Amino acid sequence: MDYAKNRNIRKKAVTGVALDTHMMHVTISYPLPDNRLLTQLFTALDEGSVNVDMISQIVNVEGLQLSFSIKDSDVQQISSILEELSTTFDALDYKINEAYVKISLIGSGMRDMSGVASKAFITLINSNIPFYQTTTSEISISYVIDAENGNKAVEVLYDAFDI
């Protein structure tokens, strides 16, 4: 069978949706884009064997904002680390939210197909599911959402991508 003649066999962009309910979302804000703060934070996370999953950073006129997700079993460690950093960086503000989950769309077909992120954003928005952080790779898109919307998000994304 000649593949070129059978292009109607279409590869799916998204082949799965994963829900991680064992995570926390951490956001830190600091009025200056200070690399010393980031260096000390990630050194402490490494020394404490805290695995950071999703990371997003914004630096603008308001300073630095960094958000990341970690396993919920690391709540004591992250609390201690951030409290210690607050003694060195007086203006450091942080929030640890344990009421979030991570949902991920997965599929190798995303590499070659446009519109996947758009469809996922629109699906979540039209379903009244707010998201607080988004990260992507070649074969996945992950969102941090409210824990109460986790199962609903799985259902609407399964439907939207015909999984």
Side-chain angles (χ1 to χ4, degrees):
M1 183 179 283
D2 186 351
Y3 180 75
K5 292 181 181 176
N6 290 295
R7 294 192 88 47
N8 61 344
I9 302 172
R10 189 169 177 172
K11 186 176 186 181
K12 280 191 166 198
V14 177
T15 55
V17 179
L19 177 65
D20 183 355
T21 59
H22 298 287
M23 58 88 57
M24 299 183 309
H25 186 252
V26 179
T27 300
I28 66 169
S29 300
Y30 193 66
L32 302 169
D34 193 330
N35 288 331
R36 292 176 311 125
L37 169 60
L38 295 177
T39 300
Q40 289 181 29
L41 170 63
F42 284 97
T43 298
L45 291 168
D46 179 39
E47 290 171 352
S49 298
V50 176
N51 185 24
V52 176
D53 184 24
M54 298 171 62
I55 302 173
S56 62
Q57 174 185 333
I58 298 171
V59 176
N60 58 28
V61 295
E62 296 175 14
L64 166 72
Q65 183 176 30
L66 178 80
S67 294
F68 56 94
S69 61
I70 59 175
K71 291 290 182 192
D72 58 5
S73 57
D74 292 324
V75 67
Q76 291 299 92
Q77 282 185 286
I78 193 63
S79 297
S80 296
I81 290 167
L82 293 172
E83 208 44 51
E84 178 66 30
L85 286 173
S86 293
T87 62
T88 305
F89 300 92
D90 294 336
L92 179 65
D93 184 36
Y94 63 88
K95 183 175 182 181
I96 302 170
N97 193 320
E98 298 177 66
Y100 289 165
V101 297
K102 179 179 79 170
I103 190 152
S104 300
L105 298 168
I106 304 156
S108 61
M110 285 189 215
R111 266 188 212 115
D112 304 317
M113 193 173 294
S114 63
V116 176
S118 172
K119 187 174 187 174
F121 277 104
I122 290 167
T123 299
L124 293 174
I125 291 166
N126 287 343
S127 301
N128 295 315
I129 300 173
F131 44 92
Y132 305 98
Q133 183 178 13
T134 306
T135 60
T136 63
S137 75
E138 281 189 326
I139 62 167
S140 70
I141 303 171
S142 296
Y143 299 90
V144 171
I145 63 173
D146 296 311
E148 65 190 36
N149 286 312
N151 290 327
K152 179 181 176 183
V154 170
E155 290 173 19
V156 298
L157 291 168
Y158 260 81
D159 287 345
F161 290 95
D162 194 31
I163 301 172

